[in-house]
Amino acid sequence: MPAPRHPVARTPLHHWHAAHGAQFTELDGWQVVAAYSDAEQEAKAARAGLGLADVSAFAKISLRGTGVSSVVQALVPDSAALHPRGVARLPCEAALACRLADDHLLLLAATPSATALSQRLAGLPEGRPLVQTDVTSAYAGFEVLGPRLDELLRRLTHQDVRPTALPMNSCAETALAGVEALLVRSAEGPVRIYVGWDLGEYVWERLLEAGREVPITPVGLEAL
Amino acid sequence: MTVPGTPPLPPGCFTDPARPLTFTFEGRTIPALEGQSIGAALYAAGVRIFSRSFKYHRPRGLFCVSGDCPNCLMQVDGRPNVRTCIEPARPGQVVMGQNAWPSLNFDMLRVFDAMSSFLPVGFYYKRFHKPRWLWPIFERVVRHIAGLGRIDVLGRPDLETEVEHLHAEVCVIGGGLTGMAAAAAAAEAGADVLLLERQPRLGGRLSEGDEDSPYLKKQVAALKTYSRIRVLCNTHGFGLYEGNVVGAFHERTLLKVRAGQIIVCTGSRERPFVFQNNDLPGIFLWRGVRRLADLYGVRAGGRAVVLTDNDEGILAAVGLRQLRIEVVALIDCRPSPGLRGSEAFAQFPGLKISRGVVLSARGSKHLKAVRIARENEDGTLDRASEQEIACDLLCMAGEPVPANELLLQGGMRFRHEGGRWGAERRVPGLWAAGGAAGTCRHAGQEGFLRGAEAAAALGYPSPSLDKYRGEWEARPALALGHSQAALSPQPQERDGKCFVCFCEDVTAKDVKQAVAEGFDHIETLKRYSTIGMGPCQGKMCGQNFSATCARLTGRDIGAVGTTTARPPAVPVELAVLAAERRHHPVRRTPLHHWHQAAGATWLDVGQWKRPESYGDPTAEVRTVRSGVGLIDVSTLGKIEVVGPDAAELLERIYINAWADLRVGRARYGVMCTEEGIVFDDGVAARLQARSASEGNHFYLTATTGNAEAVFQWLELWRTTWRLNAVVLNRTSAFAAMNLAGPRSREVLGRLTGLDLSPAAFPYLAAREAEVAGVPCRLLRIGFVGELGYEIHCSSTHGQHVWESILEAGADIGLKPFGVEAQRILRLEKGHLIVGQDTDALSSPLGAGLERMVKLSKPLFHGREALLRLKEMAPRARLVGFHLSEGATRRGENNWARELEGCQVVEQGRSVGRVTSARYSPTLAKYLGLAWIPAARATAGIEFLIRCDGADLTASVAPVPFYDPEGQRLKN
């Protein structure tokens, strides 16, 4: 009997990354891309045009049910601002909370580990009905760095992504390259795109294709 | 044909004289300048016949030089129907004429022109249908002759199209004087503006005339001071759609513009005149002559006659002189020429204005002379005044008509008053300004006003709104001399071919006859006569058509109206419209690249890619039956239902019972539509509730292609019934694989601490445990008919678990198997596939699922229908069959697939069909499932399957074919 392997988590783009010379590093049990060539070069290229990073590994937790409002009140300092389509930053965990609907909250961590978030949620008083699900493996996530997002996305979606239509701290569910996607713009600037896990590679390639004239550069997590 | 000694024109403001190039036209090499249109270069090279007309194959030449008329359509680099008068010439282009045989210059099909009396209006409705047996012959001939150009049906990768979605607060269509003013005013007020211009640069008619118009320069410079204005040139708006969406294209990119306010400033175009042979090459719209000279530097002729019914005729004559074209006559067909015209005329001694009408044009392939005559007071012709004037150019300077197609599409109405069309501004978010609104003078002021008003409607109060309004309201009254009778005397019913519609070759006489036949409403008249149904979509004929119809029916033009405007307003390639369909999403399982590396052949299942096999499906079947195999089933729909009412939801959705399912158990389930038709099937398991507050926890699988539909269905009914449960679509979140075969327990046992003994983990049980260190959900089910475990884990660890299992079983011959092997295996077990073995008429009663239907449940989807269906007893049944000995001669195993979809025949009539068929390596037989009449659905009865014209004998066999007792599943 062979020795048991060490469980390793891969993003849906793992093989794309490997085929494009990515240097992997292990982070909380995940194989993530540190850089493709040189992190500084990548950051520079992203500043000049657009950078595209695979953040599928970052933990995501979905909360569903009428209990969402009380969770929002407990987690978010300015809970009144977190209306549907709104986004807020959780102060201690550096995670984003996206209110997709009155009874649907999506928490997006900035690390692959969901421990901090889970502990925080576990500490909340039990009350109204709430279904908590780890949806890390349900959505592939990409971060787009750089200001020229509009030039990239206008070939792929009818959603207006200029800051007037998708302001800071808001999100939008829309069609992107023919599939359902969630766009999240936080206060810090970079926009995140979430699509079904199995569509990750398809959308990643469409993004690179649509942005080729900007140009768009794949970047590793070190460049973030 | 230019008079010798005339100095050449300046090169034209769109061209770059420093960059000459050449292209070929029907084999000839043609010189051109960069920026020059193909049509202009051809005209300069002496080409006069640009196309042959649709029906009579009459020669047609340049006419509008703006892309509005159908006269210059050619085949360019294999693309049919290119409007060469505006298409820029490019080096090495191959340009060919179309709709002519053998050539544009000499077209045998011109014979139709002589046969015109046999081809009256509506002839295709009157001819060809009797005698009926001749129709197939007619059809072949008509199909061969009809149509313009040849399309490359194989597709051209170099002609790929793209789509872009643009957003603007204000979208201005048309970048002439009016459009620039509107854009500037809207931007001044603070709005984001997108300005679309069809030509290579802004200016519209300001580009015509003085090449370096200081006014134009000032306007363009003013626009550049606004960073909020984005200008797109070479961009053609073709449609206005609901929700203020503008359809446009820029080269081969489809643009979908979503705008808060739309201002249409598309200007106006001249109405052509109707007289005999008014389609001869050499007859131009006046502005066409202007554009040919000013934009492309090409002179249209040497001796010109100007025909007009408004003051623009005077400007035309003056303009022609600037272009050094001799004006031999200016014919004003108004009853009395306008005062302003006379004043202008006084400044140009030697210009003679004749009052009268043009009767006909003479010439065979090009204009040689025009015949004119005066009209008497009562409208009859003064025959004594008839005279012929030799010329090589006739400029038609007709009354400008609003280019208002987009406005009409957007729902704006136009009123005909005082001989002119004027816009009635009533549509929220849509504005008209300038010529497109019917405004002739002071279009700029109107542009400023509408721009400011559009911005104000968005909540940007313009500081200058009042000023603009004041200027517009204080504009001087319309200058004198504009034709009051917009339709001056027209020889509508005179002899010969007086064309109203150039695209479809419809003459004034045809219109008269159609009206006489009873088609006196403009819409029915259009459909019967085909006027306005050609490439120009009524741009050339619209006004003459309405006027003719009005005259013939004794009504006012306003009462007759115009035909309905629909997109596209300008010709758009279908490939451009289809640009958005370029998205072909591909869904890949977490094991996709493993399969790829293992040499899998791919099968497309909806958007999914699935491994069909890894080489030899038959060997894969044997592996599963005798040892153990592993298949990727990540494409299965996976749904979680959580909450106190979860069991109730399942109870009402599935036709079988769920309330009694204990935790840790799984069950096969079928769901039906309200009509009692099988909608989907799958396995559902009851898992341990994760917390007391969450309540019941079910994990469902659905058919690959139905995952989304089943999820939506559950979500819809959960909401409708207000059940306290949450439905989660987890399809993407889990990888799933099926470890199947008599030795699967042995392999799994090496990777998990779970007790796998039959007593601890029996058939149809569900467990949660770690496999290879990863938390998994395990279902002991057997789609393929062997001991098997369906293992679901997070997509993130799919590859780790898959590789760990394969490694653990390598020493006992564990191999992956693909969809093809699975299909054979399940067919041996007689398991049906929803969507393949069932269709939109299949009830569970006929499909062999009677025992699933629990009519004792008080409420579930399809119950009422199934109660009725049960009373009627099904007419057809899904049965298993095998082919009789004689029918299985052919050697190859995969031959049997061809039977899928074949008819079951009885005395030559179709009575059913085969839904699945394969060769079973396990049983060494050809097996299948088929729908046959219920009366014959008894084991042993023979029936016939028609395949490739031969009838094969099959006999009904009991299912499952393999392991009917199910011992292998349960051991």
Side-chain angles (χ1 to χ4, degrees):
Chain A
M1 185 171 152
R5 289 156 161 268
H6 166 60
V8 56
R10 295 176 176 92
T11 80
L13 289 159
H14 186 86
H15 296 271
W16 191 96
H17 298 321
H20 289 78
Q23 300 142 29
F24 289 100
T25 178
E26 195 167 318
L27 190 61
D28 300 324
W30 283 79
Q31 289 273 305
V32 293
V33 178
Y36 296 89
S37 51
D38 175 56
E40 264 178 47
Q41 293 274 326
E42 286 171 12
K44 218 168 115 187
R47 273 194 299 275
L50 281 171
L52 185 65
D54 176 14
V55 295
S56 305
F58 292 178
K60 313 164 196 97
I61 290 176
S62 148
L63 297 169
R64 299 281 300 270
T66 49
V68 162
S69 332
S70 48
V71 172
V72 168
Q73 276 167 17
L75 286 182
V76 185
D78 183 15
S79 56
L82 196 54
H83 49 81
R85 293 197 56 182
V87 173
R89 180 163 291 269
L90 305 188
C92 15
E93 293 82 9
L96 294 178
C98 301
R99 186 89 180 254
L100 299 180
D102 278 325
D103 59 352
H104 192 176
L105 189 71
L106 183 64
L107 301 176
L108 304 167
T111 58
S113 163
T115 320
L117 264 183
S118 305
Q119 282 172 352
R120 182 76 197 277
L121 289 171
L124 295 177
E126 286 214 14
R128 302 171 72 183
L130 194 65
V131 174
Q132 179 183 331
T133 318
D134 183 342
V135 290
T136 308
S137 64
Y139 305 108
F142 309 131
E143 192 156 301
V144 185
L145 298 98
R148 296 167 70 183
L149 184 74
D150 168 46
E151 284 172 65
L152 167 70
L153 291 191
R154 70 176 183 229
R155 291 166 193 255
L156 297 175
T157 176
H158 63 267
Q159 172 74 40
D160 190 353
V161 295
R162 295 172 307 163
T164 43
L166 185 67
M168 283 194 289
N169 286 329
S170 73
C171 60
E173 286 177 283
T174 182
L176 181 92
V179 307
E180 284 173 35
L182 170 69
L183 308 179
V184 179
R185 192 195 289 275
S186 63
E188 282 69 28
V191 167
R192 289 206 202 158
I193 299 172
Y194 292 91
V195 297
W197 188 267
D198 42 63
L199 288 158
E201 190 174 334
Y202 161 75
V203 173
W204 175 271
E205 288 185 332
R206 290 289 84 72
L207 289 168
L208 291 179
E209 187 195 4
R212 64 189 181 274
E213 281 160 24
V214 176
I216 189 166
T217 315
V219 302
L221 295 190
E222 280 178 20
L224 292 187
Chain B
M1 269 168 249
T2 305
V3 179
T6 314
L9 289 175
C13 64
F14 285 1
T15 67
D16 182 352
R19 307 179 77 167
L21 57 93
T22 61
F23 63 91
T24 66
F25 169 65
E26 306 216 310
R28 270 173 69 190
T29 301
I30 306 286
L33 298 176
E34 190 168 298
Q36 203 168 31
S37 71
I38 294 173
L42 289 175
Y43 201 87
V47 175
R48 291 295 177 266
I49 300 178
F50 277 68
S51 66
R52 288 282 170 168
S53 69
F54 179 68
K55 185 169 156 191
Y56 299 133
H57 289 256
R58 290 167 64 95
R60 294 277 164 84
L62 284 187
F63 184 68
C64 73
V65 199
S66 61
D68 284 338
C69 80
N71 282 13
C72 63
L73 300 185
M74 290 188 188
Q75 196 101 13
V76 176
D77 288 338
R79 289 160 60 208
N81 301 326
V82 174
R83 295 172 292 163
T84 53
C85 70
I86 53 168
E87 180 79 10
R90 295 200 171 87
Q93 255 165 346
V94 178
V95 181
M96 300 294 286
Q98 55 185 33
N99 201 37
W101 184 82
S103 75
L104 276 181
N105 212 29
F106 178 75
D107 182 8
M108 297 283 273
L109 298 172
R110 178 80 195 260
V111 64
F112 289 121
D113 201 11
M115 287 164 57
S116 59
S117 53
F118 301 103
L119 304 168
V121 60
F123 72 95
Y124 34 77
Y125 297 123
K126 297 168 185 165
R127 311 269 187 275
F128 302 140
H129 59 283
K130 273 182 205 170
R132 281 188 72 160
W133 58 270
L134 265 179
W135 169 240
I137 298 161
F138 283 141
E139 190 184 20
R140 210 176 320 144
V141 176
V142 171
R143 275 185 192 281
H144 185 70
I145 294 172
L148 301 171
R150 294 264 168 263
I151 196 162
D152 185 350
V153 292
L154 296 177
R156 297 264 304 273
D158 58 316
L159 298 183
E160 284 272 298
T161 54
E162 282 193 285
V163 62
E164 279 189 24
H165 298 271
L166 303 178
H167 303 269
E169 286 175 320
V170 175
C171 178
V172 181
I173 308 171
L177 167 67
T178 319
M180 290 196 291
E188 180 195 21
D192 273 330
V193 181
L194 183 66
L195 176 57
L196 309 180
E197 165 57 38
R198 67 175 178 171
Q199 293 197 311
R201 60 182 223 186
L202 291 176
R205 289 181 61 209
L206 290 177
S207 303
E208 304 159 14
D210 302 323
E211 198 203 331
D212 291 315
S213 157
Y215 183 71
L216 172 58
K217 281 188 165 170
K218 204 179 116 198
Q219 289 296 321
V220 173
L223 279 195
K224 285 193 177 138
T225 61
Y226 295 109
S227 59
R228 292 194 195 91
I229 301 180
R230 190 172 158 211
V231 179
L232 282 181
C233 287
N234 290 315
T235 301
H236 305 253
F238 62 77
L240 277 193
Y241 300 86
E242 253 186 275
N244 267 16
V245 176
V246 180
F249 65 91
H250 171 83
E251 286 163 6
R252 301 191 61 78
T253 303
L254 173 70
L255 304 177
K256 289 191 175 179
V257 183
R258 286 165 175 83
Q261 305 280 318
I262 297 170
I263 310 177
V264 177
C265 309
T266 43
S268 60
R269 57 176 80 88
E270 299 144 295
R271 176 180 66 88
F273 289 82
V274 181
F275 52 84
Q276 190 181 342
N277 294 340
N278 60 340
D279 64 331
L280 258 185
I283 299 177
F284 274 80
L285 292 181
W286 151 241
R287 292 183 192 168
V289 172
R290 192 77 259 190
R291 282 186 278 264
L292 191 58
D294 296 334
L295 309 182
Y296 307 117
V298 177
R299 195 179 271 123
R303 284 168 59 81
V305 170
V306 178
L307 175 58
T308 189
D309 61 356
N310 68 99
D311 283 354
E312 198 161 346
I314 313 293
L315 301 174
V318 172
L320 283 167
R321 289 196 157 183
Q322 285 169 354
L323 300 175
R324 308 284 183 99
I325 297 173
E326 186 191 351
V327 181
V328 290
L330 169 59
I331 301 157
D332 190 334
C333 48
R334 281 176 291 184
S336 59
L339 182 63
R340 228 174 76 105
S342 305
E343 281 169 354
F345 166 59
Q347 297 166 20
F348 296 92
L351 239 189
K352 192 166 143 260
I353 301 183
S354 313
R355 282 178 52 207
V357 293
V358 168
L359 297 178
S360 64
R362 191 167 59 74
S364 63
K365 288 183 175 173
H366 195 265
L367 178 70
K368 287 200 170 68
V370 293
R371 199 162 183 77
I372 66 166
R374 256 190 217 135
E375 277 189 328
N376 295 319
E377 295 281 312
D378 60 355
T380 56
L381 284 178
D382 176 5
R383 288 285 169 188
S385 68
E386 262 190 58
Q387 56 164 315
E388 197 171 88
I389 304 172
C391 60
D392 63 359
L393 178 64
L394 174 67
C395 297
M396 303 206 274
E399 176 80 10
V401 181
N404 56 2
E405 303 82 25
L406 292 175
L407 289 165
L408 292 170
Q409 284 176 23
M412 193 167 279
R413 294 279 165 271
F414 278 70
R415 199 174 40 210
H416 197 258
E417 222 173 41
R420 309 184 55 81
W421 292 103
E424 294 186 305
R425 293 173 189 87
R426 279 203 307 228
V427 183
L430 180 62
W431 306 85
T439 308
C440 249
R441 301 278 182 269
H442 315 290
Q445 270 96 320
E446 191 176 24
F448 282 122
L449 176 61
R450 302 302 168 220
E453 282 178 337
L458 290 166
Y460 294 106
S462 165
S464 315
L465 181 58
D466 291 336
K467 187 184 103 188
Y468 294 143
R469 187 168 286 138
E471 280 172 4
W472 171 244
E473 279 164 5
R475 71 192 184 277
L478 196 63
L480 291 172
H482 258 277
S483 141
Q484 287 301 299
L487 273 178
S488 32
Q490 288 294 308
Q492 303 280 22
E493 292 96 42
R494 293 211 171 88
D495 291 338
K497 294 201 175 75
C498 311
F499 287 99
V500 176
C501 171
F502 298 109
C503 298
E504 302 277 305
D505 275 352
V506 185
T507 64
K509 226 157 86 181
D510 290 333
V511 180
K512 188 182 179 192
Q513 164 144 23
V515 171
E517 287 181 33
F519 298 95
D520 58 356
H521 188 277
I522 192 151
E523 294 285 0
T524 53
L525 187 53
K526 171 180 172 173
R527 282 153 183 75
Y528 184 61
S529 66
T530 69
I531 275 192
M533 288 160 70
C536 94
Q537 287 291 293
K539 291 193 194 72
M540 292 294 117
C541 60
Q543 179 67 8
N544 282 329
F545 180 36
S546 296
T548 311
C549 185
R551 254 171 74 97
L552 291 166
T553 57
R555 281 177 294 170
D556 177 63
I557 293 186
V560 168
T562 51
T563 53
T564 309
R566 297 183 180 90
V570 294
V572 195
E573 282 176 61
L574 292 175
V576 170
L577 288 179
E580 196 142 40
R581 299 274 154 244
R582 283 184 67 227
H583 298 310
H584 299 294
V586 179
R587 303 181 73 174
R588 296 177 175 94
T589 78
L591 304 167
H592 183 90
H593 292 275
W594 190 95
H595 301 317
Q596 182 89 54
T601 52
W602 293 108
L603 182 72
D604 288 335
V605 185
Q607 295 177 340
W608 288 102
K609 295 271 178 203
R610 296 197 70 183
E612 188 167 32
S613 83
Y614 301 87
D616 182 0
T618 311
E620 290 169 14
V621 169
R622 292 211 177 89
T623 307
V624 174
R625 289 279 179 246
S626 61
V628 56
L630 185 66
I631 182 171
D632 178 7
V633 292
S634 302
T635 60
L636 283 175
K638 305 167 207 93
I639 296 164
E640 282 183 73
V641 185
V642 186
D645 292 341
E648 180 64 19
L649 178 61
L650 265 56
E651 193 77 359
R652 295 187 191 185
I653 290 286
Y654 286 103
I655 60 174
N656 47 326
W658 291 93
D660 60 343
L661 188 73
R662 282 171 290 126
V663 169
R665 299 293 297 179
R667 182 174 285 172
Y668 173 67
V670 173
M671 44 182 85
C672 280
T673 63
E674 207 62 77
E675 296 77 26
I677 302 302
V678 177
F679 168 51
D680 200 57
D681 70 347
V683 170
R686 189 174 210 150
L687 303 179
Q688 193 69 49
R690 290 180 299 183
S691 71
S693 65
E694 276 189 9
N696 298 313
H697 188 178
F698 285 89
Y699 185 62
L700 284 57
T701 60
T703 318
T704 295
N706 252 353
E708 186 63 26
V710 169
F711 168 69
Q712 299 283 357
W713 184 247
L714 285 162
E715 185 67 1
L716 168 70
W717 291 105
R718 178 197 69 83
T719 317
T720 308
W721 289 323
R722 294 168 184 269
L723 294 176
N724 186 1
V726 172
V727 182
L728 304 163
N729 188 351
R730 307 285 282 149
T731 304
S732 299
F734 285 99
M737 49 207 90
N738 187 8
L739 181 67
R743 300 186 74 179
S744 51
R745 182 177 287 126
E746 191 181 338
V747 175
L748 190 57
R750 296 173 177 180
L751 293 168
T752 179
L754 190 68
D755 182 357
L756 297 178
S757 66
F761 192 2
Y763 180 55
L764 290 180
R767 296 285 180 270
E768 291 176 276
E770 278 195 1
V771 175
V774 176
C776 289
R777 290 173 180 171
L778 300 140
L779 305 174
R780 209 189 131 186
I781 51 179
F783 187 52
V784 298
E786 298 291 343
L787 168 68
Y789 302 88
E790 208 170 85
I791 302 159
H792 296 243
C793 69
S794 163
S795 296
T796 60
H797 289 86
Q799 191 180 338
H800 167 79
V801 173
W802 174 269
E803 285 177 340
S804 301
I805 295 174
L806 284 176
E807 235 167 67
D811 59 323
I812 56 169
L814 169 61
K815 289 263 163 50
F817 65 102
V819 177
E820 177 57 20
Q822 181 182 249
R823 283 182 175 165
I824 298 170
L825 291 161
R826 69 92 199 178
L827 187 58
E828 290 174 346
K829 278 300 285 182
H831 288 150
L832 62 81
I833 297 178
V834 172
Q836 174 170 338
D837 299 304
T838 69
D839 62 17
L841 293 173
S842 309
S843 87
L845 303 176
L849 299 167
E850 298 95 325
R851 63 192 164 78
M852 303 288 299
V853 185
K854 288 285 177 290
L855 289 170
S856 53
K857 289 199 291 183
L859 171 70
F860 67 88
H861 257 285
R863 184 174 185 272
E864 300 306 313
L866 288 169
L867 275 171
R868 275 201 315 280
L869 289 169
K870 201 171 173 96
E871 280 170 26
M872 295 192 291
R875 278 183 296 177
R877 281 189 183 279
L878 184 67
V879 296
F881 69 86
H882 34 76
L883 290 186
S884 308
E885 287 306 310
T888 58
R889 273 166 300 161
R890 295 202 227 177
E892 331 104 78
N893 294 340
N894 59 4
W895 157 79
R897 292 166 160 231
E898 291 170 26
L899 284 178
E900 291 185 352
C902 284
Q903 303 293 308
V904 174
V905 291
E906 211 166 78
Q907 291 162 348
R909 282 179 45 239
S910 166
V911 294
R913 67 195 170 87
V914 176
T915 57
S916 294
R918 285 291 187 279
Y919 176 77
S920 157
T922 317
L923 305 169
K925 269 183 184 161
Y926 287 93
L927 309 175
L929 296 173
W931 285 89
I932 65 166
R936 304 187 60 76
T938 311
I941 287 191
E942 291 197 333
F943 61 92
L944 295 177
I945 298 167
R946 181 159 294 174
C947 178
D948 282 343
D951 287 346
L952 307 174
T953 309
S955 58
V956 179
V959 287
F961 304 99
Y962 173 78
D963 183 28
E965 310 300 318
Q967 286 310 312
R968 300 181 70 89
L969 283 174
K970 293 167 190 161
N971 84 51

